[in-house]
Amino acid sequence: MKNILSKKLAPLIEFFEEFKKDKTGVIGLCILILAILVSIFEPLLLTYKESPKRWRDITYWQDNPASAAPEWLNFFQKEKSAITTDIKAISIETNNIDNQLVYKAVFEYDYQFDKSPMDLIFHANVNGSTGLVWNVTRPDGAIITLSDSLHNIKGDLRISAFNDSKNRIFRFYRDSVPRILARQIDTLTTNPMKILFNTKKDDMAKDFKALKGIYRFEVTGSFSVDNASFDEPYMVLVGSMSGLMGTDNMKRDIFSGLVSGLKWALFIGIATSFISVIIGVMYGIVSAYFGGIVDNIMQFIYQIFIGIPVLPVMIVMSAIFKPSIWTMITMMIFFSWTGSVMTVRSMAMQLKEETYIEAARTIGAGHFRIIFNHLAPLLLPFSFASMALAVPSAIVYESSLSLLGLGDASIVTWGQILHDAMKGSAVLSGLWWWIIPPGILIAVLGMSFAFLGFALDKILHPKLKSR
């Protein structure tokens, strides 16, 4: 049993021994394995779990800053910018005071940045009519009321300290620093965040400095209804930096978009190349096997398709029909099957003259039996290199169509991200993190399949091996 198994595995073992000698092929395989693992574990890697489904839902991204730089750029700056952060409640109290339910959520945040954040946002799942008070105690002891308002809501309550307060002066409780705060109000009323996170160096100074330390936030909601609720409170400190790859001008997390687009790049590339190469292989085998007038007609059709400029035709077809991922894959298959035809045809013309093919005809084997049982199994392995080499073209075609606005807008692809960057004037705005990462990923993924294709070509076609 072991001998039989070893004999069957011997060709595979020999193949991998040859494959390991090609360093570029190993690099391509490693990149491909990494890409597959990222696609499989996508839900665990996504910063925003619903981003693939809600990529174009503006409300899903409303708490993010627009056009924010990646967080890691802070390491290269002398003055540190605030980083977008979710702040969880450290305590939630529920009391019954004068026949009213009073909920109190307390938050603390250690602020250590030099540049003020862009906004502070409070969220809670609320049911009922409530008078809500949102206070903050600064590190210097000043107490500021960010919000004091009535709400009648069932669902998500969202209060923005910047948008809800920028047109009115915050309420300051008089404490040990009333004089300094009063002067800040006169100077910085247009930006509440500067009032909150900055202070004067001294009473006579004109310049302000960041006020670092522990900020304590208290949010109190009073309800008069017994079945009222105040659940899942949290805050978002909206900084000018966000995420591993920053955000675009619609506040979307670019890293989540890049991860979500990887599975579509793999699917489009592999599905298109696999189907088109299988069609091309069978077309070449049938053309060579029957020969004569059948071969002439099939070669005439092949010459027509090989002369069609693929990308311009796909652009026209995508403009006419409703853009969808399935339409693009169908069009790419329709125009890409010609790649392996001539190579397979020349090999099939040699194989059909072999003795065992003649023997099969002699004992009455039909044409399709000979094609599918004797020729195709021998020639299909040689198409693996063609499949790998066809993947980069499929990825580039999809990216090109999406870049021109002719892609499927219902999914997240790297081409769609580049299209949005072009529309959003990312180059003119200097938002390089919106352009370079998807471009590099398209190039790297295409390169990995090209490396695999070249390695397979050397192994499966011995004449191409370097001596």
Side-chain angles (χ1 to χ4, degrees):
M1 186 67 180
K2 290 183 179 180
N3 292 333
I4 296 174
L5 185 61
S6 61
K7 287 181 180 180
K8 290 184 177 180
L9 293 177
L12 190 61
I13 295 172
E14 183 181 355
F15 170 81
F16 278 108
E17 289 297 326
E18 288 287 330
F19 185 83
K20 286 192 297 183
K21 296 177 183 178
D22 193 302
K23 302 302 180 184
T24 57
V26 173
I27 293 172
L29 181 62
C30 291
I31 295 174
L32 178 58
I33 292 173
L34 179 61
I36 293 172
L37 289 175
V38 170
S39 299
I40 293 173
F41 296 103
E42 176 188 300
L44 300 177
L45 297 174
L46 286 176
T47 311
Y48 296 85
K49 305 303 180 185
E50 297 182 42
S51 57
K53 298 179 181 178
R54 304 181 65 180
W55 182 249
R56 301 194 179 277
D57 182 358
I58 298 176
T59 60
Y60 183 66
W61 309 99
Q62 61 183 340
D63 291 347
N64 284 349
S67 304
E71 293 179 6
W72 49 267
L73 286 181
N74 245 351
F75 291 106
F76 305 99
Q77 296 183 351
K78 291 183 179 179
E79 293 188 348
K80 306 302 181 184
S81 300
I83 294 175
T84 302
T85 309
D86 286 352
I87 307 173
K88 304 299 181 182
I90 60 173
S91 67
I92 303 174
E93 300 176 5
T94 305
N95 297 302
N96 195 327
I97 304 174
D98 297 331
N99 295 322
Q100 283 192 329
L101 285 173
V102 179
Y103 294 89
K104 182 180 179 182
V106 180
F107 306 81
E108 285 189 354
Y109 183 72
D110 186 7
Y111 184 80
Q112 296 295 330
F113 301 107
D114 301 305
K115 296 181 181 180
S116 303
M118 302 169 67
D119 200 358
L120 268 173
I121 300 171
F122 172 76
H123 278 275
N125 192 359
V126 177
N127 181 23
S129 180
T130 178
L132 188 138
V133 180
W134 183 10
N135 290 331
V136 56
T137 303
R138 302 197 320 177
D140 61 358
I143 302 175
I144 306 172
T145 299
L146 298 178
S147 179
D148 186 355
S149 53
L150 293 174
H151 301 273
N152 187 2
I153 190 171
K154 183 177 181 180
D156 181 40
L157 172 64
R158 181 182 185 272
I159 302 176
S160 167
F162 182 82
N163 292 326
D164 296 343
S165 308
K166 63 181 178 180
N167 296 320
R168 63 180 174 84
I169 298 175
F170 287 168
R171 183 190 306 158
F172 291 82
Y173 290 93
R174 299 301 176 180
D175 56 9
S176 60
V177 286
R179 215 153 33 91
I180 297 175
L181 290 177
R183 293 189 180 184
Q184 289 184 25
I185 293 173
D186 294 336
T187 308
L188 300 169
T189 49
T190 57
N191 192 338
M193 294 300 101
K194 289 185 178 180
I195 300 174
L196 189 58
F197 291 96
N198 288 276
T199 185
K200 283 193 173 183
K201 295 179 180 178
D202 56 61
D203 189 23
M204 301 301 295
K206 294 182 179 180
D207 298 330
F208 290 82
K209 68 174 182 178
L211 183 59
K212 300 179 182 181
I214 301 296
Y215 283 76
R216 182 181 175 86
F217 302 89
E218 294 183 1
V219 183
T220 305
S222 303
F223 296 84
S224 57
V225 183
D226 292 338
N227 62 354
S229 63
F230 187 81
D231 302 321
E232 303 174 3
Y234 69 96
M235 289 174 48
V236 181
L237 183 139
V238 184
S240 55
M241 292 189 167
S242 178
L244 188 61
M245 288 294 176
T247 62
D248 60 17
N249 63 353
M250 296 181 67
K251 303 183 177 183
R252 295 175 297 197
D253 182 63
I254 294 175
F255 176 76
S256 297
L258 295 175
V259 174
S260 301
L262 177 58
K263 64 177 180 292
W264 288 111
L266 287 173
F267 175 73
I268 292 169
I270 294 174
T272 301
S273 63
F274 178 79
I275 297 174
S276 61
V277 169
I278 291 297
I279 292 173
V281 168
M282 297 310 300
Y283 191 93
I285 292 174
V286 171
S287 177
Y289 178 78
F290 287 102
I293 189 170
V294 174
D295 183 39
N296 292 335
I297 293 172
M298 294 183 73
Q299 288 305 301
F300 177 73
I301 296 172
Y302 165 80
Q303 293 298 331
I304 293 175
F305 274 88
I306 201 70
I308 296 175
V310 179
L311 188 57
V313 173
M314 289 182 65
I315 291 173
V316 173
M317 297 293 286
S318 297
I320 295 174
F321 298 102
K322 182 180 178 181
S324 72
I325 190 67
W326 307 111
T327 304
M328 283 191 290
I329 290 175
T330 302
M331 287 191 298
M332 284 189 282
I333 292 171
F334 188 75
F335 293 110
S336 302
W337 58 269
T338 56
S340 57
V341 169
M342 296 308 293
T343 303
V344 172
R345 176 176 174 272
S346 62
M347 296 174 70
M349 291 186 73
Q350 297 177 16
L351 289 174
K352 75 173 186 177
E353 303 298 334
E354 294 290 335
T355 306
Y356 68 92
I357 299 295
E358 293 295 333
R361 289 197 190 99
T362 303
I363 62 175
H367 297 310
F368 288 100
R369 181 179 179 83
I370 294 173
I371 290 172
F372 287 101
N373 285 8
H374 298 287
L375 293 177
L378 290 174
L379 294 175
L380 280 176
F382 293 93
S383 66
F384 293 156
S386 299
M387 289 181 188
L389 292 170
V391 171
S393 299
I395 295 174
V396 170
Y397 283 148
E398 185 281 327
S399 300
S400 301
L401 291 175
S402 296
L403 181 62
L404 296 173
L406 299 173
D408 190 343
S410 64
I411 61 175
V412 187
T413 66
W414 297 335
Q416 289 286 350
I417 295 174
L418 289 173
H419 171 68
D420 292 339
M422 182 180 65
K423 287 182 61 180
S425 302
V427 176
L428 297 177
S429 303
L431 305 181
W432 57 265
W433 56 86
W434 194 3
I435 307 167
I436 295 178
I440 289 177
L441 288 177
I442 291 171
V444 169
L445 191 61
M447 179 184 69
S448 68
F449 279 100
F451 285 170
L452 280 173
F454 294 145
L456 291 174
D457 224 14
K458 292 178 183 178
I459 296 170
L460 297 175
H461 296 77
K463 291 182 181 180
L464 298 178
K465 288 183 180 180
S466 58
R467 297 179 182 178

